[in-house]
Amino acid sequence: VKQLRIVDTSVRVLYHSIFVLSLYFLFAGHNQPGGGFVGGLTAGAAISLRYVSRGVDSVRRAFPVAPWTILGSGLVISATVAIVPLLLGESVLEHDDVTVELPLLGTLKATTALPFDIGVYLLVLGLTLMAFEAFGDDPDDDAAGDEPDGVTT
Amino acid sequence: MIAILLLHLVVGTVIVASGDRLGRRAFLVAVVAPAVTLGWAATQWSGVIDGAAVEQQLEWVAGLDLALDLRLDAFGLVMVSLVSGIGLLVCLYAHGYFSHPGPGTARLAGLMTMFAGAMLGVVLSDHLLALFVFWELTSVTSYLLIGNDDTNPRARAAALQAIVITGGGGLAMLFGLVIIGEAADTYLLSELLADPPTGGAVPAGLVLVLLGAFTKSAQFPFGSWLPGAMVAPTPISAYLHSATMVKAGVYLVARLAPIFAVVTVWRPLVLVVGSVTMIVGGLRALRQHDLKLLLAYGTVSQLGFLMLLLGTGAYKIAQAGIVLLLAHGAFKAALFMVVGIVDHEVGTRDVRAIPKLAGAWRPVQVVAVISAASMAGLPPLLGFIAKEKAFAGYEVATFAGADAVLVVTVVGSILTFAYSARFVLGVLGRMADDEHRLVDAHPHDPPVAFWAPAAVLTVFTVVAGVAPVVVDALVQAATVALDPAAKPSEVVLWAGFGLPVVLSIVVIGVGTLLVVARQRVSEAQRRLSAPLAHVPSTEQAFLAGLKGTTTFATGLTARVQHGSLPLYLAVVITTVLVLPVVVLVRAGIEWPDPVDAAVQIPLVGIIVAGAVGAAMMTRRIAAALMLGAVGYAMAGLYIVQGAPDLALTQLAIETLFTVLFVLVLRFLPPRFVDRSPAVVRPFRLAVSLAVGAAVFVMMLVAAGGRGDVTEPSVSQEMIERSAPEAKGNNVTNVIIVDFRGLDTLGEIAVLLVAAVGAVGLARLGRGRRSGTGAPDAPDGGDLVGATEAGRES
C-alpha cells in the first residue's frame, strides 16, 4: 500500500481525537447535539481516515474483535434494554434514571437510554467496519484491473 | 405444578443429552417423571374431587400480562391420570419392546418425556396462550418422535406431514384464541366459563380454534397424518397417537363446549365433522390388513366419537365422553401394546399372516380380547358403560340434530364392533390364509415383563367396568368442572332397561352379522369404493396442495425476482411516482416564502450545481463527489433552519458515504457506459424528470400540509415532555432513544441485516471471480448471480 507521509501523519493525530469526539457525541447526546447514531458515524469517519492512510489491514488490526461481533453486540445490547422492562412489568423500552455523586467529578446523572444509545453506536460502528471488510480489499489484488467496460447503469 | 413440568423437561433433556449410552435403560430413567406426577396427583386427589381446583401462577412477561397460569381441576385430573398413567406403563413396555436398541432409541425416551411434559402443560394451562405454547410443543415433539429414524424417508415424510397439518391448524387456532381472548377481555379459561364473551368476531374465532382442534385430533378431512404417523415405533404410537396427544383437540373442545355451544356455528361444525370422522374412520378400519393401521383408523373413528360426546355442551353427553376418554385410553393403549408384541415376536402385523398361537401367548390373547371387547362396547367393561351413557345422553338431548347424531353414533358403534372383531380374529390367527402365511415363522414367546403393562390396563378396563364406583367420583367431579351447572348422574354398569340397552343389542346384533358375513362385506366395500377411486383422498389432496404451493412459490419468485436491475429500478421508481400522485392530485399546493435568510441562496446554488453536475458527469468518481457537495450544502441548510442534530448527522453520513462510494467505485469501470439502445434514452429521461417533479410537488404539499390543522403539532408535546419525563434536554435524541425507541430498535435491526447482506454479496461476487479466473460484470452480474444462487438453494 502506497503511503503519503503528510496524510499518514495527520491521520495519526486526528484518528484518536475524532474517536474521542465520537465518544463525546455518544455520551452528551441526551442533552446536547449528538447521540449514538451520530457518534457511531463519527467513529466510522475516523476509521475511514485510517483506511485511506494505511489500508484495510490496519483497520482490521485496530479492533481486537471482528466487525460482525461489534455489529451483533450492538443489537443485543439495545434489544436487551428494550426487553428487560417488559420482564419487570413495564412497557417496552421504559427507561429509568440514576443520579450518582462521584468524588472529584461531581454529580453524574445517567438514564438507561445510554446503554440503548451505546448499542446504536456499536451497531453503526460495526456497520462501517463491515463495509470496509466487504469492499475495502484492493481490487488490484484480485487481478480485476482489466474489467470489461460493458456495464450499464 | 411448575415443578412437575420442569421435572419432565430436565429428565427429558438429561436422557437426550446422554446420547445412546443409556440404551433401552433410558425408558426406566424416564419412568421417574410420570411416577412423580402420579404421586403428586394422588396427594391432590381428594381436594380436587371435592371441587377445589389447585392453582399456581408464575409471572412470565409482566408487561404483556403474560403469566403461566396453571390450574388443576377434576377434568384436568382425568387428563393427568391418562397422560402420566399410560405414560408410565408405556415406558415400562418400551423397555421390553426395544430389546435390541439401535442408535437413537434412548433419544425416543427423552423426547417422550418432554412430550409428556408439554401434554401436561396443555391440560394444566388455564391461560389460552400458555395452552397454545404447550400445544405447539406437543406438535414439535411428535414431529421429532415420528421422524426419529431419520434414515427412513417414509418416517421423515410422515413427520413432515404431521407437523404441517397440526402446525397449520395450530396457527389458525392462535388467531382464534386471540380473537376470543380479546372479545372476552380475559385469556383465562376459568374466567371465560364464568363470563362468556359475545360479539361479531367470536364465531370467526371459534371456527379458527376448532380448525386447530380438528387437525390435532385427526378429524375429517385433516386425519391423513395420523395413519402416516404409524411409522413411529409402536410404543410411541400407543402413547402419542392413540392415548394422549390426539386427545388434545378433544380436550380443548370439551373445555370450550360448555361456554360456546350456544354460538350458532359451534354445534353444526362439531357434530358434522365428528360424525363424518367417526363413520369414515370406521369404514377404513374395516378394510385394513395391517393391525396397526386398523387401530389407527379405529382411533380416528373413536376421536370422532369423542368429538360428538364432548363437543355438544350438554353435560349428560359430556359425562359419557369423560368415561369414554378413560375407557379409550386404557383399551387403545393396551391394543397397541398387543400389536407391538405380535410385531416384535412374530415378525408381522398382517392379519393374513399371523398364525394361531398358543402357550405363553394366552395372556396376550386375553388382553387383546378383553380390550377389543371394551372397544366394541361389550358388557361388563368400561367401554360398554361409556357407550350406554352416550346413547342415554343423546336420547334426552334437545338441540337440533341430536336424533340424527344418535343414529350416527349407533352406526359408528356397529362399525367399531366389526373392526374390533376383525382385530381379535387377526390376533388369534383366524384370518391367516395360505397365500400370505409366513414360510419360516418361528414366533418367540413374549416374556412376562413385555405384556405386563398391557395387562395392568386390561385389569383397569375390567375393574372399572364391573365396579364403576372406582371412577364414579372422578367422572362426576370432572363433569362439574367442565360445566358448573351440571348435575351428573352416577356411573353404573346397569342403568335399567331402556332405549340405550336396545341400541346396544342392535349394535351387537348387526355387528355380529357384519363379522359373520365379513367376506361379503369386504366385497361390497370394494365394489362401492371403486367409483370413489377417482376422487382424490385427503392424503393425495394434502400432497397436491403441498406440491402446488412450492410450484406457485417458484413461479412467483421467478417472475418477481427476475434479476434485471433496470427493471427493478423501474418498478421502484414507478411506485414512488404513482402512489403519492394519487394523493397529491387532491391536495392543494401552498407556496412557502422563497427565501428566509440570505445565506440560503448560495447553499441552494451549490445544491443545484451539484445535482446537475452529478447527472452530467461521465466519470463515476466525479459524480459521487458532486453528490457529496449536494449533501454538505444540505447540512448547511439544516444549520440555517436551526437543526444542529440533523446537520451533524448529515455531515457525518456524507463524509462516510463519500469514502464508501469511492471504495465501491474502485470495482466499477471509471466511466459510465451506456449500451442500451437509443430508443430507451428519451424514456429514461422522461421517467427521471417525472420523478424529480413528483418529489418536488410532494415536498411542497407536505410543507403546507399543516396549514389548516388547528391542533398543536405533536413536536410541541414532545418538547414539553422531554426534560421532565425522559430526563433529556436534547429532544431529538430523546425521541430516538425513548419516545420512538422501538422504531430505532427496528431500524438498527434492518441496518444489521443490510450489513450482513452486503458483506455476503461482496464475498459471493469476489469468490466467483477468483474461482473462475475470468472477471465477471461486477455490479449487475454479482446481483444476478446472488439472486440466482438464492433461487437454486
Side-chain angles (χ1 to χ4, degrees):
Chain A
V1 180
K2 286 172 279 188
Q3 292 193 1
L4 290 175
R5 181 162 293 169
I6 182 151
V7 175
D8 201 27
T9 315
S10 24
V11 167
R12 267 172 210 275
V13 176
L14 285 174
Y15 177 74
H16 292 100
S17 327
I18 298 179
F19 231 101
V20 170
L21 178 70
S22 82
L23 288 175
Y24 167 78
F25 280 146
L26 168 65
F27 287 102
H30 218 51
N31 290 309
Q32 268 112 41
F37 193 65
V38 177
L41 287 172
T42 313
I47 290 162
S48 69
L49 276 179
R50 194 184 176 104
Y51 172 79
V52 168
S53 133
R54 274 176 283 177
V56 70
D57 287 326
S58 166
V59 171
R60 283 195 189 122
R61 276 197 306 274
F63 290 90
V65 286
W68 37 89
T69 312
I70 299 178
L71 188 80
S73 55
L75 188 63
V76 167
I77 291 172
S78 291
T80 310
V81 175
I83 290 168
V84 165
L86 209 59
L87 298 175
L88 299 175
E90 296 172 60
S91 61
V92 179
L93 268 170
E94 187 86 45
H95 287 309
D96 214 346
D97 58 312
V98 283
T99 311
V100 192
E101 292 289 338
L102 288 180
L104 299 176
L105 292 171
T107 311
L108 177 77
K109 202 179 73 182
T111 80
T112 48
L114 182 62
F116 186 78
D117 237 2
I118 291 175
V120 175
Y121 177 92
L122 287 177
L123 196 128
V124 175
L125 178 62
L127 180 76
T128 321
L129 289 171
M130 291 282 272
F132 285 112
E133 189 70 33
F135 302 106
D137 298 345
D138 211 325
D140 299 333
D141 295 351
D142 300 333
D146 53 341
E147 284 178 88
D149 49 2
V151 182
T152 57
T153 48
Chain B
M1 280 181 268
I2 290 163
I4 297 279
L5 298 184
L6 281 178
L7 174 73
H8 281 83
L9 182 64
V10 170
V11 172
T13 315
V14 166
I15 295 175
V16 171
S18 69
D20 284 326
R21 244 169 295 160
L22 284 170
R24 65 171 179 160
R25 278 167 303 167
F27 288 97
L28 296 182
V29 178
V31 161
V32 174
V36 170
T37 311
L38 283 178
W40 168 78
T43 62
Q44 310 293 327
W45 197 275
S46 58
V48 171
I49 295 283
D50 288 340
V54 186
E55 291 185 1
Q56 194 175 4
Q57 194 190 43
L58 181 73
E59 287 276 303
W60 184 15
V61 186
L64 293 178
D65 273 340
L66 272 186
L68 197 56
D69 293 282
L70 298 182
R71 189 166 187 276
L72 175 75
D73 62 6
F75 188 56
L77 195 58
V78 169
M79 296 301 292
V80 170
S81 313
L82 273 179
V83 172
S84 295
I86 294 177
L88 184 105
L89 293 171
V90 165
C91 280
L92 295 173
Y93 169 78
H95 183 256
Y97 183 86
F98 293 108
S99 54
H100 310 288
T105 299
R107 191 169 57 215
L108 282 173
L111 290 171
M112 220 168 84
T113 312
M114 289 185 195
F115 159 78
M119 190 67 204
L120 286 174
V122 169
V123 301
L124 290 176
S125 293
D126 198 25
H127 196 291
L128 290 176
L129 295 181
L131 186 148
F132 168 78
V133 171
F134 287 119
W135 178 286
E136 291 296 55
L137 282 178
T138 64
S139 289
V140 172
T141 42
S142 162
Y143 167 79
L144 294 172
L145 283 165
I146 299 171
N148 191 51
D149 180 9
D150 51 15
T151 56
N152 179 356
R154 274 185 57 225
R156 293 199 306 265
L160 190 67
Q161 188 185 8
I163 200 164
V164 167
I165 293 182
T166 58
L171 272 183
M173 188 177 98
L174 176 61
F175 285 119
L177 292 178
V178 169
I179 291 174
I180 291 172
E182 291 300 316
D185 205 24
T186 175
Y187 281 88
L188 295 185
L189 272 170
S190 48
E191 290 179 10
L192 278 174
L193 188 59
D195 186 16
T198 51
V202 170
L206 286 178
V207 171
L208 290 172
V209 171
L210 283 177
L211 200 61
F214 290 160
T215 53
K216 194 77 161 183
S217 282
Q219 301 291 299
F220 187 84
F222 308 112
S224 60
W225 68 268
L226 185 55
M230 292 299 141
V231 298
T234 302
I236 305 302
S237 308
Y239 190 38
L240 270 75
H241 306 120
S242 78
T244 54
M245 187 185 85
V246 288
K247 296 224 173 89
V250 176
Y251 166 83
L252 186 65
V253 167
R255 281 278 185 210
L256 297 180
I259 313 172
F260 293 112
V262 287
V263 178
T264 23
V265 292
W266 180 277
R267 277 206 192 106
L269 198 56
V270 170
L271 296 183
V272 168
V273 169
S275 299
V276 175
T277 308
M278 185 174 185
I279 301 294
V280 171
L283 284 174
R284 294 197 75 167
L286 259 185
R287 290 185 1 214
Q288 303 306 318
H289 294 291
D290 182 337
L291 281 179
K292 204 172 167 188
L293 276 182
L294 188 156
L295 286 185
Y297 282 110
T299 305
V300 171
S301 172
Q302 293 281 303
L303 287 169
F305 195 16
L306 281 166
M307 267 309 161
L308 291 178
L309 296 181
L310 290 165
T312 62
Y315 71 84
K316 283 186 178 156
I317 306 177
Q319 193 184 1
I322 294 168
V323 180
L324 185 61
L325 269 180
L326 289 169
H328 181 258
F331 68 65
K332 195 51 75 63
L335 290 175
F336 264 103
M337 290 179 184
V338 168
V339 172
I341 294 171
V342 171
D343 193 12
H344 193 269
E345 308 292 351
V346 181
T348 180
R349 302 193 304 239
D350 193 324
V351 288
R352 295 165 298 189
I354 296 169
K356 290 196 174 90
L357 299 159
W361 281 89
R362 283 285 173 250
V364 178
Q365 289 168 343
V366 169
V367 165
V369 171
I370 293 179
S371 297
S374 180
M375 178 157 77
L378 292 182
L381 305 168
L382 195 56
F384 170 74
I385 299 176
K387 200 178 50 162
E388 288 282 287
K389 266 203 150 349
F391 291 160
Y394 264 106
E395 185 191 353
V396 297
T398 50
F399 52 84
D403 295 337
V405 178
L406 179 60
V407 174
V408 168
T409 54
V410 171
V411 174
S413 299
I414 292 171
L415 293 173
T416 308
F417 185 93
Y419 70 71
S420 302
R422 185 184 176 85
F423 181 88
V424 168
L425 292 174
V427 171
L428 295 182
R430 300 296 166 86
M431 293 182 77
D433 56 30
D434 292 332
E435 192 185 331
H436 295 86
R437 196 179 298 281
L438 292 182
V439 186
D440 49 349
H442 299 293
H444 305 277
D445 289 344
V448 176
F450 198 6
W451 54 261
V456 171
L457 288 167
T458 309
V459 167
F460 171 79
T461 300
V462 176
V463 169
V466 175
V469 66
V470 294
V471 293
D472 180 45
L474 178 64
V475 171
Q476 288 204 34
T479 314
V480 178
L482 281 180
D483 182 0
K487 285 179 262 319
S489 55
E490 203 183 332
V491 182
V492 287
L493 180 60
W494 176 249
F497 191 79
L499 182 65
V501 179
V502 176
L503 290 178
S504 274
I505 293 170
V506 169
V507 167
I508 295 169
V510 179
T512 314
L513 280 179
L514 284 183
V515 177
V516 172
R518 59 178 181 273
Q519 294 293 354
R520 265 183 241 160
V521 171
S522 61
E523 273 299 310
Q525 259 195 314
R526 232 195 320 276
R527 258 204 321 280
L528 286 175
S529 64
L532 289 175
H534 302 291
V535 181
S537 69
T538 51
E539 167 109 31
Q540 286 160 333
F542 169 78
L543 290 176
L546 210 60
K547 202 159 165 253
T549 309
T550 47
T551 316
F552 174 74
T554 316
L556 189 71
T557 311
R559 287 214 169 67
V560 177
Q561 302 293 337
H562 38 69
S564 158
L565 284 183
L567 265 182
Y568 282 144
L569 208 58
V571 169
V572 171
I573 283 178
T574 328
T575 314
V576 169
L577 209 63
V578 170
L579 285 187
V581 161
V582 175
V583 187
L584 285 180
V585 285
R586 281 185 291 165
I589 295 177
E590 202 173 311
W591 291 91
D593 294 339
V595 181
D596 294 338
V599 71
Q600 284 174 339
I601 295 169
L603 284 173
V604 170
I606 295 174
I607 291 177
V608 171
V612 173
M616 311 261 294
M617 288 296 160
T618 56
R619 291 184 69 87
R620 287 173 198 265
I621 296 253
L625 290 178
M626 287 290 177
L627 285 180
V630 172
Y632 282 124
M634 286 292 289
L637 277 183
Y638 290 146
I639 293 175
V640 173
Q641 296 290 335
D645 263 288
L646 216 50
L648 197 55
T649 312
Q650 176 77 18
L651 276 174
I653 285 190
E654 215 50 60
T655 310
L656 207 53
F657 250 73
T658 309
V659 177
L660 292 182
F661 242 131
V662 172
L663 271 189
V664 178
L665 288 184
R666 295 178 310 154
F667 295 95
L668 300 184
R671 286 172 191 278
F672 293 113
V673 182
D674 196 347
R675 284 193 313 182
S676 54
V679 280
V680 297
R681 275 184 212 169
F683 175 70
R684 283 191 193 162
L685 192 65
V687 169
S688 310
L689 288 176
V691 170
V695 170
F696 183 70
V697 174
M698 197 162 73
M699 299 309 279
L700 273 181
V701 174
R706 281 198 56 83
D708 49 354
V709 181
T710 49
E711 288 91 33
S713 156
V714 68
S715 54
Q716 207 60 43
E717 189 188 341
M718 286 187 168
I719 291 167
E720 277 164 18
R721 292 172 62 169
S722 173
E725 285 186 29
K727 311 281 189 283
N729 295 323
N730 177 1
V731 68
T732 316
N733 189 254
V734 166
I735 290 172
I736 291 174
V737 300
D738 198 333
F739 294 158
R740 309 304 304 265
L742 207 57
D743 289 1
T744 310
L745 193 64
E747 282 156 14
I748 61 176
V750 170
L751 276 185
L752 180 128
V753 173
V756 172
V759 171
L761 282 176
R763 292 239 165 128
L764 191 73
R766 223 73 64 75
R768 273 158 52 112
R769 190 178 309 154
S770 56
T772 56
D776 256 348
D779 59 351
D782 283 4
L783 274 175
V784 175
T787 40
E788 269 168 2
R791 207 179 299 153
E792 279 156 18
S793 60

